Amino acid sequence: MFKVETIPDNLRVRGFRAVGVASGIKKGANLGKKDLALIVSDIPARAAGVFTRNKVKAAPVQIDIERIMKGVSRGVIVNSGNANACTGRRGYNDALRMTALAEKSLGFKRGELLVSSTGVIGVPMPMDKMRARVPELASGLSYKGLPDAALAMMTTDAFPKTAIQKARIGGVTVTIVGIAKGAGMICPDMATMLAYFMTDANIKGRALKAALKGAADSSFNSIIVDNDMSTNDTALIFANGLSGGGVIREGSPDFNAFSRLLNKVSLKLAHMIVKDGEGATRFIEIDVRGAGDRQQARTAARTVASSFLVKTAFFGGDPNWGRIMAALGYSGVKMKEAKVSISFNGVEVVKAGVDTGKEKAAARGIKTRDVAVKIDLGAGTGSSRVWTTDLSYDYVRINSAYRT
Amino acid sequence: MFKVETIPDNLRVRGFRAVGVASGIKKGANLGKKDLALIVSDIPARAAGVFTRNKVKAAPVQIDIERIMKGVSRGVIVNSGNANACTGRRGYNDALRMTALAEKSLGFKRGELLVSSTGVIGVPMPMDKMRARVPELASGLSYKGLPDAALAMMTTDAFPKTAIQKARIGGVTVTIVGIAKGAGMICPDMATMLAYFMTDANIKGRALKAALKGAADSSFNSIIVDNDMSTNDTALIFANGLSGGGVIREGSPDFNAFSRLLNKVSLKLAHMIVKDGEGATRFIEIDVRGAGDRQQARTAARTVASSFLVKTAFFGGDPNWGRIMAALGYSGVKMKEAKVSISFNGVEVVKAGVDTGKEKAAARGIKTRDVAVKIDLGAGTGSSRVWTTDLSYDYVRINSAYRT
């Protein structure tokens, strides 16, 4: 585990209030920790979401997928400590009730809030505990409340994940705040990734969705800690337009500027998630170039980053290019062994498919926390980067512990 | 690691001689152990092979793929300690030379022998050591030599893997001997699976290939220790026809009997390979039923067996059905959560997608070495079984050790 990240000062954005409280959903060693959060926009915000592609979707995810179709929302209620997944019809009704209780206390119409849950799977939501805290949630909402919301989303996270970026777009200052929790390699139950972006930008519909999807693909969808895809993964963006700028239209220079800003925030959160992998001792970038196309590069990078043998080698500080070469070979992408080159932190260990004799230098060069692996397939112009961790004793320890 | 398996008495089959010697290819702690083997049929045998689908193929695999096309061979020379993979043109020439030296000493024609290597990747073969032992190999051939050949194939294997089966087929007694080494979860370098079958059955061409492919699919291709596919995986079968029976034709009752016999031998070897996984504390069967078809069942079973989170849960003795459900959900196969049932060693923990409340009983029930997981998807009639191990501290220890 890496150094604990701290929450930036002034983690706030025009027109968004938030709160995080302890409701008693978290149990055991985490009893008494914050586990219930609410994030609300002062005015209806444009909203978009991306969700787990797992066919087993938790109840809150099913509800959000329906509600996000309107493209407008007032915010989201989130709990940690219970995933409300694999809970059948009862779980679905519980998730509906969560939003209804919060909506009522805030004077919102039915369906104006979204909902997320993260924690243990297969256990019914303790609705009594939740219900008892809803008045406190509503009255506690504050423009300074986003850090508390970030804390209340945590499960086995060692630190809260938050980021803020500002830029001049279309003549006004636009702010994007992101908060996240998770994921993988950390969680005695399924490893969920939740992320929320709040912005005062004036952007809606397809443009907002496109910006979110682009940002998620190059950040959350480009980190690999283990290969397990959660039933609850959710990223939502809320844009309330209070920056005062004109509408940001898809394909415009302003859209590109907004996308870059959102990418920065989401990439920062994604890297924090990798660094928070319990048991992680290294932060590894796999940068594949020279692939047939971007998709091939992505497949190659993901296959290398997913290999048990590659990940254990990194834990041992071993620049084991043979394992990488073999992973490239079974990744299914177009490649010829004789054209591949591989380097570790700038030391080229394989050129044209064969050993350069620099493996000892490479081993010395990766005695660092951060390791950059560059792979050139020599087969085209496609490139892609993914980030991952090593596979350590602590990963096994944490994930083999019987759930309590 | 499990109890060491012993070599059956009378591991022999008509017309096959073999030998295993120590040539000094193995280094470090394994110096002086047997590392060079030869298996030879007294008369030209019908031969077939199945090979790694990894695009990065070791030199010996490339040569075998060419030579096996003839459908006839006299045998195979095998070394451990060096994989002769990622060794470029030099490696290819070295593998050719290995066969040429052995062929010459035996008076065979060029191309009559096949070749396999297993061990470290990316290091040139120590040809001098090999060459010096070829005369000893040829003179040491014996009808009792198959156990020595099995020993000489081992890399990090804790015990040799051998099996023998006999049956009356077409009025005569047919014998099949199998020897194997590997794989996965055991190897500081790539985990290679090598398997050789020697039989006196009278079977050739497409029938022999079909029997081998069928046996490999339901045995070696149905075990998952890690997800890494070696550059050297090879299974070869030699049939010299000395049983005296008539030709076994594809699709005939005799062919079915031969296939069943071969399946028994290969399944026995495959289970030994799983049990030899260093760090393995459990032998786990994942039996998927009720899938859309056999391929979907296979994909679902493989996805569950490959999950880091499922495997670490088994190490912890945790009947964590939530992780299995999530793996099924992201496996991509047709499934509905509400139709899934899951049991551990006969205790049903999930029925119609929800918790049966029997998790504690299941946890008590899997305090065994062997764990049988039954999954019914309720979506069709396809079924498939795979075998795997848990993911333990020792797996990480062994695979993170710097290569020596």
Side-chain angles (χ1 to χ4, degrees), chain B residues 149-161:
Chain B
L151 287 167
M153 291 159 60
M154 292 165 63
T155 51
T156 51
D157 303 57
F159 53 84
K161 286 131 196 103

Side-chain angles (χ1 to χ4, degrees), chain A residues 188 228 318 323 330 359 403, chain B residues 188 228 318 323 330 359 403:
Chain A
D228 288 279
D318 179 2
R323 294 182 183 179
Y330 67 73
E359 214 178 280
R403 294 156 294 161
Chain B
D228 287 278
D318 178 3
R323 294 182 182 179
Y330 68 73
E359 215 178 278
R403 294 156 294 161

Side-chain angles (χ1 to χ4, degrees), chain A residues 304 307 309-310 313 318-330 335 337 340 342 344 349-350 353-355 359, chain B residues 54 56-57 83 85-87 119-123 188-191 228-232 403:
Chain A
V304 171
S307 160
L309 291 174
V310 169
D318 179 2
N320 195 321
W321 61 266
R323 294 182 183 179
I324 291 176
M325 186 73 92
L328 294 170
Y330 67 73
M335 57 93 63
E337 186 185 340
V340 174
I342 301 172
F344 295 90
V349 291
V350 175
V354 291
D355 196 356
E359 214 178 280
Chain B
N54 197 311
V56 178
K57 290 178 170 61
C86 302
T87 43
V120 294
I121 285 189
V123 177
D189 273 83
M190 280 309 294
D228 287 278
M229 190 193 289
S230 156
T231 51
N232 293 54
R403 294 156 294 161

Side-chain angles (χ1 to χ4, degrees), chain B residues 1 11 17 65 79 88 103 109 123 142 189 193 215 228 242 251 260 268 276 310 312 339 358-359 394:
Chain B
M1 198 178 68
L11 190 81
R17 287 176 299 152
I65 288 173
N79 76 278
E103 283 157 354
K109 288 200 277 286
V123 177
S142 153
D189 273 83
M193 199 281 303
D228 287 278
L242 292 175
R260 274 195 302 275
K268 188 143 188 245
D276 194 10
V310 170
T312 46
K339 291 196 170 179
K358 292 184 191 159
E359 215 178 278
D394 270 359

